[in-house]
Amino acid sequence: QPFAAGLTWNELRVRAMRSRKDFERTAPWRLVAVIEKAKAGKERFEAVLSAWTKAEGVYIRSGAPQGTLAVLFPGQGSQYVGMGRDLACQFPEMLDALAAAVAALGERLSDAVYPHPAFTPAGRDAHEAALRATDMAQPAIGAVSLGALGVLKRFGVKPDMAAGHSYGELTA
């Protein structure tokens, strides 16, 4: 959708959400822009669209996608409390993967990945320690990785190969 000067940040976010629904990776031209609210992204985005210049966070491609794609799944140690929360709030593919893991392992898994907020350093440290436990860390990393893969597939991104670091080898 065309960018209009004077949009609020929320209006820009809504337009971005709508554009994701209409995104066609096989279209003759594709424009992807990564915009950060804190870095005056709207102004930069407007300048890029008006001048079609190359800028940080803006990717313009034409023609059919070429090459092959590999994904690398993370291993134990990459987990953190709240990982994948943005995807879980937006995409059913992530929720489905998390729900399958919770069904197999019980509510303890979702409590470890998405615990109730902690308002003290000791509380946050306890949450991180609970997720570092191998019996929680490994299934949590696997579930979030598979959920993220499901989100990529929603947009037509299908890897030609997969690999993993440490526990990520099992996910791959």
Side-chain angles (χ1 to χ4, degrees), residues 9 32 50 72 80 95 109:
W9 183 253
V32 175
S50 64
L72 179 63
Y80 59 93
L95 283 178
L109 179 65

Side-chain angles (χ1 to χ4, degrees), residues 137-159:
Q138 290 181 348
I141 292 167
V144 170
S145 294
L146 291 175
L149 182 63
V151 172
L152 288 173
K153 286 183 177 181
R154 173 191 189 115
F155 291 100
V157 178
K158 294 180 183 165

Side-chain angles (χ1 to χ4, degrees), residues 27-38:
W29 284 93
R30 296 167 307 283
L31 171 77
V32 175
V34 179
I35 301 173
E36 296 180 47
K37 182 179 182 181

Side-chain angles (χ1 to χ4, degrees), residues 68-133:
T68 57
L69 176 68
V71 294
L72 179 63
F73 292 104
Q76 190 166 344
S78 64
Q79 74 277 0
Y80 59 93
V81 171
M83 62 182 171
R85 182 185 316 269
D86 290 347
L87 294 177
C89 289
Q90 296 282 329
F91 298 101
E93 295 82 358
M94 177 61 89
L95 283 178
D96 291 345
L98 293 168
V102 167
L105 300 166
E107 289 295 321
R108 276 186 59 224
L109 179 65
S110 60
D111 290 343
V113 179
Y114 306 115
H116 292 288
F119 300 103
T120 65
R124 288 187 288 274
D125 290 347
H127 288 332
E128 290 293 339
L131 188 55
R132 273 195 308 271

Side-chain angles (χ1 to χ4, degrees), residues 40-57:
K42 287 187 350 181
E43 292 79 12
R44 184 181 67 188
F45 188 53
E46 185 177 30
V48 168
L49 284 181
S50 64
W52 286 89
T53 59
K54 188 90 166 156
E56 178 186 344

